[in-house]
Amino acid sequence: MAHYSAFNIRIILVLTLGSLTYGYAFSVITNTLGQPGFLSYFNLDNDASYANQIEGAINGIFSAGGTFGALTVGYMCDIHGRKVTMNTAAIISLVGGALQAGSVDIAMLLVARFITGWGIGMMVVLIPIFQAEISPPSSRGLLVGQHGAWIVAGYAIASWVGVGTFYSTNMSFQWRFPLALQCASPLALLCCSPWVPESPRWLLMQGRHAESWDIVSRLHVDAHDQPDSQKKLSYAQKEFHQMVKQVEMDTNAWAAGGGARQMFTKPSYRKRMWMGFFTQYSAQATGAMVVNNYIVNLYHGLGINGGLVLVLGALYVTVATGANFLASVLMDHVGRVRLLIIGLTGCMLSLSLECAMEARFEGTSDRVGNALGVFFVFTFIFFYAGGIDATSYVYCSEIFPTHIRSQGMAFSMIGTFLSTVVFLEAGPTALAKIKWNYYIMFIGLTAVDIAVMWYYFPENNRFIQTKGLSLEEINIRFSDEVAVHFSDADAERKGGDDVESSGTEPAEEAKADAEHLEHSILPSSQ
C-alpha cells in the first residue's frame, strides 16, 4: 500500500486555505446578522418584516453568486488549469470580502455578497478536485476529507470571532472586523500558491508529460520498496503509467463521441452527473444551512438570548469541525455511500426530535425541555458533519473521469447553491410565520433522499464503492473502460468484486510500457 509523502501533505495543507476561505465566508454572516451594531447601521432593528426580507436577500444573493462561481470554474479549470483558477478564485474572494467590510449601504453589501459568493463558489468546486488528483487511493478519503473539515473549521473561527466582537463597545468594529477577516485566508492562499504545483492529471491532458512525471514522482512514498527495487516498478511509476494510458483512451473516446454533449448523452456520464448533483442537493435538503444560518432564531424560540446564543453557535460549529475530521478518517474504511446514509438518517431523526422539543417547549421556561432542544441541535450537526459534510465533497470529486471532473464537480455543487438559494431566501419569512414547522419540510425531503440513495446508488456489493481505487479505476464502477490496472488496486478490487475491464493490459506489457515511459520522461525532467 502506497503512502503519501511530505510533499503531498504540504500541498493538501496549502489547499485547505481555500477550504477555510469558503467556510469562513459562508458562516461569518450568521453572527453578523445578530450583531447589534450591524442591525442598527442598516436599520434592521425596527421593522421585523423588512429585516427578514433583507436577511433572506443577503443569504440568497450569496448562494446565487456561488452558483455563478461553480459554473465559471467548471470550464476555467480545464482551459487554464487548476492553479490559475485557484488564484483567480482567491482574488475574487479577497475583493468581495474587502467590499463587504467597507459596505456603506445595503446595495453595496448585496453586491459584495454576490462577488464573495462567486469567489467561494469557484473555490469549493476546485479544492476537492485538486486534492483528489494528488492523493493516493488508499488515503484519498482522509486527504480530500480535509476540505470538508477545514470548511467547518472556518465556520468555527467565524463563530468565535463573532462571540468576541459581540462584546465590543465599538458598534462599527463589532461587524466590520469579522467581515474584513475573511480576506485573511484567500490572501494567505495567494502567498503560498508558489509552493503548489499544477495537477499532474491536468498536465497530462495538455500533453506535458515531463512536468506531470516530475510531480507524480514526488507525491508518493512506496511502502514496498525492496533492495532490488530497481527491478520493480515503484508505485509512482505504475500510477503514472495508468494515468497516461487512461488520458490517451479518454481523449480519443471524447473526440470520437462528440465532445461535451456526452456529459448528458452518454449513460455512464449522465449517471455520474445525476449522482453528484443529488448528493450535494440531499446534503442541503437536511436543512443544515438553514439551521446554521438561522440558529439564532432557533435558540430564541427555546428562550435562550444574549451572548449565550453566540457561545452555543460557536460550540455548534466546533463540534462540527471535530466530526468532520472523524469522517475523514472513517470514510476510507466505511465507504462513502454508507457514511452518507448514516448521516442523512441521523440528521432526519435529530431534526424530528428538535421539532418535537420546539412544539412542546417553545416560549416556556422548562429547563429540561429547552436543554433537550439544544442537545438535539448538537446531535444534528454531529451526524451532518460526521456523515455528510466532508464525505459529499470526497465522493463528488472522485466519481468523474479526469476529462470531465471539473464540469462534473461544478454541476454537483450547483445542487448545493440552488438548494441554498431557495431554502435560505425563504428561511427568515418561513421561520417568522410558521416557526419550527419549516423544518418538517426538511425531515420529509431527507426521508425521500435516503430512500433514493438506498435504491438507486447500489451496484457491486450493494453500494458503488470508490474507496481504495485510483481515480482512473473508478471508471469500472460505472461500466466504463479502464486502460490499466496495477497490483495494489487489483488487490483492493479482488476483495470487493471480480469485475475486469476489457481495457486491462497484461502485467508484462504494462511493466514494459511503464519502463519505456520512465526512460523517455526522466531525462527531460531533470
Side-chain angles (χ1 to χ4, degrees):
M1 189 69 69
H3 296 276
Y4 41 82
S5 65
F7 178 61
N8 190 292
I9 294 297
R10 186 184 75 190
I11 299 170
I12 292 290
L13 291 178
V14 172
L15 292 177
T16 57
L17 289 169
S19 312
L20 196 63
T21 298
Y22 174 84
Y24 188 95
F26 207 113
S27 183
V28 67
I29 201 65
T30 302
N31 281 351
T32 302
L33 294 176
Q35 299 284 16
F38 177 84
L39 298 174
S40 175
Y41 185 87
F42 291 106
N43 299 314
L44 301 177
D45 51 355
N46 295 320
D47 187 338
S49 177
Y50 172 71
N52 287 336
Q53 292 175 13
I54 294 299
E55 288 178 12
I58 287 171
N59 284 311
I61 197 93
F62 183 82
S63 294
T67 303
F68 180 73
L71 290 170
T72 302
V73 78
Y75 290 94
M76 189 174 179
C77 263
D78 287 342
I79 296 171
H80 300 291
R82 292 10 176 181
K83 187 172 178 178
V84 169
T85 306
M86 178 187 74
N87 288 336
T88 303
I91 292 170
I92 294 172
S93 300
L94 189 60
V95 171
L99 290 175
Q100 281 190 68
S103 293
V104 296
D105 54 34
I106 285 294
M108 182 176 177
L109 179 65
L110 291 177
V111 170
R113 287 288 288 171
F114 180 86
I115 293 173
T116 305
W118 175 14
I120 62 92
M122 295 177 66
M123 201 74 79
V124 77
V125 171
L126 169 69
I127 297 302
I129 291 174
F130 213 153
Q131 290 174 326
E133 291 182 343
I134 63 165
S135 299
S138 61
S139 304
R140 193 168 55 244
L142 173 65
L143 298 180
V144 184
Q146 299 310 302
H147 177 60
W150 282 93
I151 283 176
V152 185
Y155 294 173
I157 293 170
S159 294
W160 286 113
V161 169
V163 170
T165 57
F166 177 79
Y167 295 100
S168 172
T169 56
N170 186 324
M171 293 293 101
S172 181
F173 177 84
Q174 200 178 70
W175 63 275
R176 289 191 189 275
F177 175 75
L179 292 177
L181 195 59
Q182 68 187 305
C183 298
S185 48
L187 181 60
L189 183 59
L190 283 172
C191 293
C192 295
S193 66
W195 296 342
V196 178
E198 183 54 85
S199 163
R201 286 177 167 87
W202 182 80
L203 289 171
L204 282 178
M205 289 195 296
Q206 310 308 306
R208 295 157 63 177
H209 289 60
E211 295 172 70
S212 178
W213 166 250
D214 181 60
I215 296 167
V216 170
S217 64
R218 297 166 62 195
L219 282 176
H220 309 305
V221 175
D222 198 325
H224 299 308
D225 280 348
Q226 302 292 335
D228 61 345
S229 59
Q230 291 183 345
K231 299 178 182 179
K232 300 181 178 182
L233 290 175
S234 72
Y235 183 91
Q237 289 172 315
K238 289 186 287 185
E239 182 185 46
F240 185 70
H241 169 64
Q242 183 187 59
M243 289 163 55
V244 169
K245 289 298 183 181
Q246 194 67 42
V247 165
E248 290 174 357
M249 176 186 290
D250 290 343
T251 299
N252 293 334
W254 185 251
R261 64 184 179 85
Q262 295 172 81
M263 287 188 287
F264 297 99
T265 59
K266 186 175 180 178
S268 61
Y269 291 178
R270 185 170 61 240
K271 180 177 184 177
R272 299 189 214 202
M273 299 292 276
W274 173 82
M275 288 174 65
F277 184 93
F278 183 82
T279 297
Q280 291 297 332
Y281 148 77
S282 63
Q284 301 312 312
T286 60
M289 282 298 103
V290 175
V291 172
N292 180 70
N293 282 39
Y294 302 118
I295 199 169
V296 172
N297 306 60
L298 193 151
Y299 287 137
H300 286 168
L302 292 171
I304 302 170
N305 297 284
L308 180 58
V309 170
L310 298 180
V311 172
L312 287 173
L315 288 172
Y316 176 86
V317 289
T318 301
V319 169
T321 303
N324 264 281
F325 278 109
L326 177 63
S328 69
V329 174
L330 289 177
M331 69 179 76
D332 283 320
H333 305 283
V334 176
R336 286 41 157 172
V337 178
R338 288 189 180 93
L339 207 54
L340 285 168
I341 289 179
I342 291 170
L344 288 170
T345 304
C347 285
M348 181 185 66
L349 295 176
S350 297
L351 197 57
S352 299
L353 292 168
E354 173 61 29
C355 284
M357 295 302 104
E358 289 271 345
R360 175 67 180 82
F361 299 108
E362 183 179 16
T364 71
S365 58
D366 190 298
R367 291 189 176 184
V368 174
N370 289 338
L372 284 173
V374 172
F375 173 74
F376 291 131
V377 170
F378 277 81
T379 59
F380 173 87
I381 193 56
F382 176 81
F383 279 108
Y384 179 80
I388 302 171
D389 205 2
T391 313
S392 63
Y393 294 116
V394 174
Y395 192 61
C396 293
S397 70
E398 65 187 8
I399 61 174
F400 299 101
T402 299
H403 60 289
I404 64 166
R405 185 167 296 118
S406 58
Q407 295 98 323
M409 185 67 187
F411 186 76
S412 301
M413 289 309 303
I414 288 173
T416 288
F417 290 115
L418 289 181
S419 301
T420 53
V421 165
V422 176
F423 298 149
L424 292 179
E425 177 71 29
T429 302
L431 291 171
K433 291 187 176 180
I434 61 175
K435 299 183 179 179
W436 58 268
N437 290 280
Y438 185 45
Y439 294 112
I440 294 177
M441 176 185 71
F442 298 112
I443 295 169
L445 288 174
T446 303
V448 173
D449 294 341
I450 292 169
V452 170
M453 194 170 288
W454 183 267
Y455 286 105
Y456 290 98
F457 278 36
E459 188 174 296
N460 297 334
N461 287 333
R462 189 58 202 161
F463 295 121
I464 296 177
Q465 293 291 0
T466 56
K467 66 184 181 74
L469 294 174
S470 69
L471 292 176
E472 287 70 29
E473 286 190 308
I474 288 173
N475 277 339
I476 203 169
R477 299 303 196 193
F478 296 89
S479 301
D480 282 335
E481 196 171 11
V482 179
V484 173
H485 294 295
F486 56 79
S487 59
D488 283 349
D490 282 339
E492 293 281 350
R493 195 172 68 257
K494 287 173 183 176
D497 61 68
D498 296 320
V499 178
E500 291 292 340
S501 167
S502 60
T504 302
E505 296 184 359
E508 290 302 317
E509 182 182 349
K511 180 176 180 179
D513 201 2
E515 288 174 339
H516 172 73
L517 279 169
E518 178 194 9
H519 293 312
S520 62
I521 293 298
L522 280 176
S524 62
S525 63
Q526 289 177 342

